[in-house]
Amino acid sequence: MGMPEAVHRWTREEVLALPDDGNRYELVNGELLVTPAPRWVHQLGIMALYRRIYPYVTRHRLGQVLVSPADLDLKRGQWVQPDLFVVPPIGGRLPQDWSECGVPILIAEGLSPSTARYVRGVKRTEYLDAGVADYWIVDVDGRVVEHWRPGDERPGMVSTSLEWRPDPSIEPLVIQLPACFAEVWGEG
């Protein structure tokens, strides 16, 4: 009987040294996640959300809204590249470098057949364990968003009005998903 093969646990340095070959590399708990470039419609969905989130975050000085590629480690020795994320101010100012970014207050990931295992499993667990307050899994094809928060056993499934309230002292951002998805698909 042979010994089981040891699984290689990747380091952040090894992942950062990989070639720029069009794939997206991420590191979560020593596991190398490799995904191809996102689909066109996936990018349109993320950008439609960005256009709705950015003015709200800016108006309320909640931080900075960014999209991938990124170099986040969630202060846990990881390397993740969320599709869209909001990083809060650090000490009253916006971060000036990836190393200054703490844990995002919102992460949104687009869902596709090639990313579903990672987005719903590995990355969801990592993000919520790291303290991300709101995690959205955006299914552009299904026109629905899975809304996860720490401690949730199941996501909220939202197909109409997606509400985000990162600070209870300000009004929530309400995103009308039918209009958002219609924009993605070039309807109306």
Side-chain angles (χ1 to χ4, degrees):
M1 182 183 303
M3 295 292 292
E5 185 176 321
V7 175
H8 178 72
R9 298 206 36 94
W10 288 77
T11 67
R12 185 174 166 82
E13 292 72 29
E14 288 175 313
V15 176
L16 291 172
L18 290 171
D20 184 7
D21 60 3
N23 286 316
R24 184 160 72 174
Y25 295 101
E26 298 177 273
L27 175 66
V28 178
N29 298 321
E31 182 179 354
L32 178 65
L33 310 181
V34 183
T35 54
R39 295 180 346 189
W40 180 265
V41 72
H42 171 117
Q43 289 298 84
L44 292 176
I46 294 302
M47 293 313 297
L49 283 175
Y50 178 91
R51 285 189 291 279
R52 286 155 175 83
I53 295 168
Y54 180 82
Y56 177 84
V57 168
T58 302
R59 182 174 56 252
H60 296 291
R61 296 187 175 125
L62 296 171
Q64 185 66 54
V65 185
L66 298 166
V67 295
S68 243
D71 187 6
L72 292 179
D73 73 1
L74 304 177
K75 301 300 180 202
R76 296 162 61 96
Q78 312 297 332
W79 186 40
V80 292
Q81 298 195 49
D83 292 327
L84 180 147
F85 55 102
V86 178
V87 293
I90 306 295
R93 67 174 183 76
L94 293 176
Q96 301 298 307
D97 188 76
W98 293 118
S99 64
E100 294 180 352
C101 292
V103 175
I105 56 177
L106 169 68
I107 290 180
E109 293 273 14
L111 185 68
S112 70
S114 66
T115 65
R117 175 180 164 261
Y118 298 133
V119 167
R120 285 189 168 130
V122 175
K123 291 176 88 172
R124 176 181 57 85
T125 300
E126 177 61 23
Y127 293 156
L128 297 176
D129 286 352
V132 173
D134 290 275
Y135 176 48
W136 300 347
I137 299 174
V138 182
D139 182 348
V140 175
D141 295 317
R143 298 182 185 225
V144 67
V145 173
E146 297 176 23
H147 187 178
W148 288 90
R149 292 187 177 106
D152 284 351
E153 291 184 23
R154 292 183 183 84
M157 301 299 285
V158 185
S159 61
T160 54
S161 296
L162 178 60
E163 185 174 302
W164 181 49
R165 190 175 207 146
D167 182 338
S169 69
I170 59 176
E171 81 277 359
L173 170 65
V174 179
I175 299 172
Q176 298 302 323
L177 290 177
C180 186
F181 289 128
E183 177 184 318
V184 170
W185 292 105
E187 302 165 350

